[in-house]
Amino acid sequence: MRECCAVVDLRQYTLHPGQRDKLIEVFDEAFVEGQEDRGMHICGQFRDLDDPDRFVWLRGFTDLDARAEALNGFYYGPVWKARRQEANVTMKDSDDALLLTPIELGPGYPALGSPRPPLHATEIPRSVIAGAVYHRGSADDGFAEFFNDRIVPVLTGTGAVLTATFETLAAENNFPALPLRDEIVLAWFATFPNDAAYDEHRRRLAASRTWQREVLPEIVCRSVAAPQELRLRPTARSQFR
């Protein structure tokens, strides 16, 4: 387990129309180092390529106690106080958040000391970070084993390079000022070098008899809601790229 990320928040914000670039500007300028100075790891921040008004990001903590300390330090500290109004005015809903723990972190998942583009960097990566959130009925449903045994071989066989797999961390929210979704999930992320590589993966997945006739129907049967598919573009300062 990476030291930085035994506990991870996956946060998805719905923004007011046309406000995403403004939030990213504030986030990359002030909230990356502002949070990391309090003991968090800002693992990745992304534009949702299928929703122009959605911003997605991940932050990691060494453990639950560190999460409470870091969040209290940041949200009651000077950086958030100085820039919160600029951020909050962009947000329509910021309560879509999950508390996760890693099942596996691949070599492409950024460590705490991974290089990060400098302040005011503007070059947006060409990579696509794709994945899904599966909504499960219970923590003992065997979904993690099903994922490793049946889903992973098809994903990797069609060109996906898995970077991280998470599941719900069954723990009380120790910073209730920021609500969490009360559900059990498995989430995975894979990295593609560009749009063409991602599109080819999707083409091969659609053509896979194993995926279409065996794996996908079982995902539906094991899920309590339709999976959320993710297709993301890292921001200029994202480590996860």
Side-chain angles (χ1 to χ4, degrees):
M1 188 71 63
R2 299 283 179 83
E3 180 183 353
C4 70
C5 297
V7 178
V8 171
D9 285 354
L10 169 59
R11 307 190 63 82
Q12 302 187 59
Y13 294 168
T14 299
L15 309 178
H16 294 293
Q19 293 298 299
R20 186 166 64 185
D21 285 349
K22 178 59 179 176
L23 177 60
I24 290 172
E25 179 184 345
V26 175
F27 193 100
D28 279 2
E29 180 181 296
F31 295 160
V32 174
E33 283 78 8
Q35 292 182 86
E36 293 195 335
D37 288 346
R38 293 292 183 170
M40 300 176 239
H41 177 204
I42 308 307
C43 316
Q45 57 271 29
F46 314 96
R47 292 173 170 88
D48 187 325
L49 291 174
D50 296 309
D51 186 342
D53 301 320
R54 183 167 288 259
F55 174 69
V56 179
W57 61 295
L58 291 158
R59 62 180 167 198
F61 311 86
T62 55
D63 54 39
L64 279 170
D65 289 342
R67 178 179 185 268
E69 181 179 356
L71 293 178
N72 274 285
F74 177 71
Y75 287 104
Y76 295 105
V79 174
W80 178 247
K81 182 178 180 180
R83 306 297 297 270
R84 64 186 177 188
Q85 182 58 30
E86 293 175 73
N88 284 337
V89 74
T90 70
M91 300 179 194
K92 186 176 181 179
D93 176 26
S94 60
D95 290 347
D96 187 346
L98 293 165
L99 185 65
L100 307 174
T101 190
I103 296 173
E104 184 173 358
L105 299 179
Y109 193 81
L112 185 58
S114 297
R116 186 190 302 282
L119 196 64
H120 305 306
T122 58
E123 184 176 353
I124 298 173
R126 298 175 60 208
S127 57
V128 176
I129 309 301
V133 178
Y134 299 129
H135 308 281
R136 302 161 54 184
S138 67
D140 60 354
D141 59 0
F143 200 102
E145 292 78 13
F146 164 64
F147 178 79
N148 285 325
D149 293 343
R150 302 290 289 138
I151 299 178
V152 170
V154 182
L155 293 177
T156 57
T158 54
V161 178
L162 286 173
T163 310
T165 309
F166 301 98
E167 63 181 349
T168 294
L169 177 61
E172 184 177 351
N173 183 6
N174 58 2
F175 191 73
L178 295 179
L180 294 168
R181 280 162 49 188
D182 182 19
E183 63 175 305
I184 300 167
V185 306
L186 183 143
W188 61 268
F189 295 88
T191 304
F192 299 86
N194 50 47
D195 293 303
Y198 173 76
D199 291 344
E200 175 62 12
H201 158 69
R202 296 296 299 184
R203 186 195 67 77
R204 294 173 64 187
L205 198 62
S208 167
R209 292 169 62 91
T210 300
W211 180 258
Q212 296 295 338
R213 296 191 177 187
E214 300 175 20
V215 178
L216 193 55
E218 189 164 354
I219 291 174
V220 173
C221 288
R222 287 174 172 267
S223 300
V224 297
Q228 179 195 12
E229 294 190 358
L230 297 169
R231 189 172 67 99
L232 311 171
R233 182 88 72 206
T235 73
R237 299 202 67 213
S238 177
Q239 282 182 323
F240 195 153
R241 55 202 296 124

